[in-house]
Amino acid sequence: MADQDTTHFGYREVPKQEKAKHVGQVFSSVASRYDLMNDLMSMGIHRLWKRFTIELSSVRPGHRILDIAGGTGDLTMQFADRVGTEGEVVLADINQEMLEVGRDRLIDRGYAGRVDYVQANAECLPFPDNYFNAVSIAFGLRNVTDQNLALREMTRVLKPGGKLLILEFSKPVNPLLNKAYDTYSFTALPLMGRLVAGDSESYQYLAESIRMHPDQETLKGMMEEAGLVQCKYHNMTGGIVALHAGIKP
C-alpha cells in the first residue's frame, strides 16, 4: 500500500511528484504507434466501447465538450460531429507528444478549426466552473496521480446537469475470464509492445496500471464523493472495460 508521499506506478511505488513524469515517458514512447497498438490489443473492440460512450453522452448540437486524455482524438472527432459548428470541443492531454499526434490526425481528417487543443493536467484543469455540458476521460484516469482530485476538477468544470463519462479498463466479472485476461495482459501485451512499438516496458506498465485501478463499485463511490449523482456503470466485454457515468447536480 502506498503511503501519503508515494503512489503506484504500475506495481512500483514512486514519489507522488514523480508519477506524472514516468507516465509522460510511457506515452511519449508509444505516441506514434498508439492507434495501431489499440487496434491490436483490443482486436478493434475499443471502437465499439468508444461508440457506446458517445451514445451514452447525450451530446447535442451546440454543446461544449471536454475530452480529457483525448490522445489521438477518437472520441474528440465523434463529439465534434455531434455538437456541430455551434458547439465547442476541447481535446486535452497532459502529454505533448500525444496532443501533437491527435492534432495532426484531426487536421488530416478535416477537423481543422473545429477543435481546440490544450495541454492540461486533469488535477488542475485550466477551465472555468460550470462550463462544459459533458466531460469524458477514456483510458486516462488510471494514469492520474490523484484520482480523487481529478474527479473533483472534472465535476467543477461541468455545468449543472452536465455528465461525466469515464471509460476505463476494469475488473472482469467472471473468474475464468479474469485469469485468461491476466495471462494475455502480461504475456501478449509486452510482446506486442516490443514487436510493434519497440517498447515492451511501457506496455508492461499499462498492464500493471490496469490491475491497480479501482474496481467498478469503488470508482462509482469515488464519483459520488466528488459530488456527482445518478452514478452508474456499464460493464463491457465481461467487465474488462467499464463505462462510468455521473451527473453534476
Side-chain angles (χ1 to χ4, degrees):
M1 193 76 177
D3 64 30
Q4 291 185 337
D5 297 319
T6 64
T7 190
H8 297 292
F9 176 71
Y11 289 164
R12 292 164 48 200
E13 279 191 26
V14 298
K16 280 186 176 178
Q17 66 270 24
E18 292 184 10
K19 178 170 179 174
K21 179 187 73 174
H22 289 300
V23 171
Q25 290 169 345
V26 167
F27 284 93
S28 295
S29 172
V30 304
S32 63
R33 296 295 182 103
Y34 187 76
D35 286 328
L36 174 60
M37 283 298 296
N38 272 353
D39 279 330
L40 289 173
M41 289 189 299
S42 72
M43 291 168 280
I45 300 173
H46 74 98
R47 300 175 189 276
L48 299 178
W49 300 333
K50 290 169 182 172
R51 189 179 306 162
F52 182 64
T53 303
I54 296 292
E55 293 299 328
L56 201 72
S57 71
S58 306
V59 165
R60 299 194 302 275
H63 275 182
R64 290 173 175 162
I65 313 300
L66 173 61
D67 185 17
I68 300 174
T72 55
D74 280 354
L75 287 176
T76 303
M77 284 187 279
Q78 295 184 63
F79 281 132
D81 291 339
R82 294 262 173 145
V83 304
T85 56
E86 302 301 311
E88 178 183 351
V89 180
V90 178
L91 190 165
D93 204 292
I94 193 172
N95 184 273
Q96 182 178 344
E97 283 86 354
M98 288 293 290
L99 199 61
E100 289 173 354
V101 169
R103 183 181 59 211
D104 291 347
R105 184 180 182 221
L106 266 66
I107 289 171
D108 288 346
R109 297 199 178 191
Y111 289 86
R114 297 174 58 189
V115 174
D116 295 320
Y117 305 90
V118 177
Q119 187 171 359
N121 185 334
E123 298 172 29
C124 48
L125 294 171
F127 307 106
D129 297 355
N130 309 313
Y131 189 78
F132 293 100
N133 297 96
V135 174
S136 68
I137 180 166
F139 306 113
L141 186 61
R142 73 182 188 281
N143 298 311
V144 174
T145 303
D146 190 333
Q147 295 177 355
N148 289 302
L149 178 56
L151 289 170
R152 291 196 297 272
E153 274 290 277
M154 289 185 266
T155 302
R156 176 185 66 78
V157 302
L158 274 172
K159 291 182 175 182
K163 184 178 286 188
L164 173 62
L165 299 146
I166 302 171
L167 181 63
E168 188 55 89
F169 291 108
S170 201
K171 301 293 185 272
V173 294
N174 182 297
L176 288 176
L177 177 61
N178 195 33
K179 187 172 182 180
Y181 181 49
D182 267 350
T183 301
Y184 171 77
S185 298
F186 289 102
T187 55
L189 291 195
L191 178 61
M192 280 192 286
R194 180 167 63 81
L195 294 177
V196 178
D199 182 353
S200 62
E201 287 186 11
S202 290
Y203 285 91
Q204 177 76 21
Y205 158 72
L206 292 176
E208 293 174 3
S209 70
I210 292 167
R211 300 311 181 283
M212 302 304 296
H213 187 66
D215 64 20
Q216 288 92 325
E217 284 292 331
T218 303
L219 180 54
K220 178 186 173 187
M222 292 166 65
M223 293 171 68
E224 291 167 345
E225 287 179 16
L228 297 164
V229 298
Q230 300 178 41
C231 297
K232 57 185 70 173
Y233 59 85
H234 305 265
N235 284 324
M236 294 181 280
T237 318
I240 287 175
V241 163
L243 174 61
H244 284 69
I247 306 292
K248 180 172 179 175

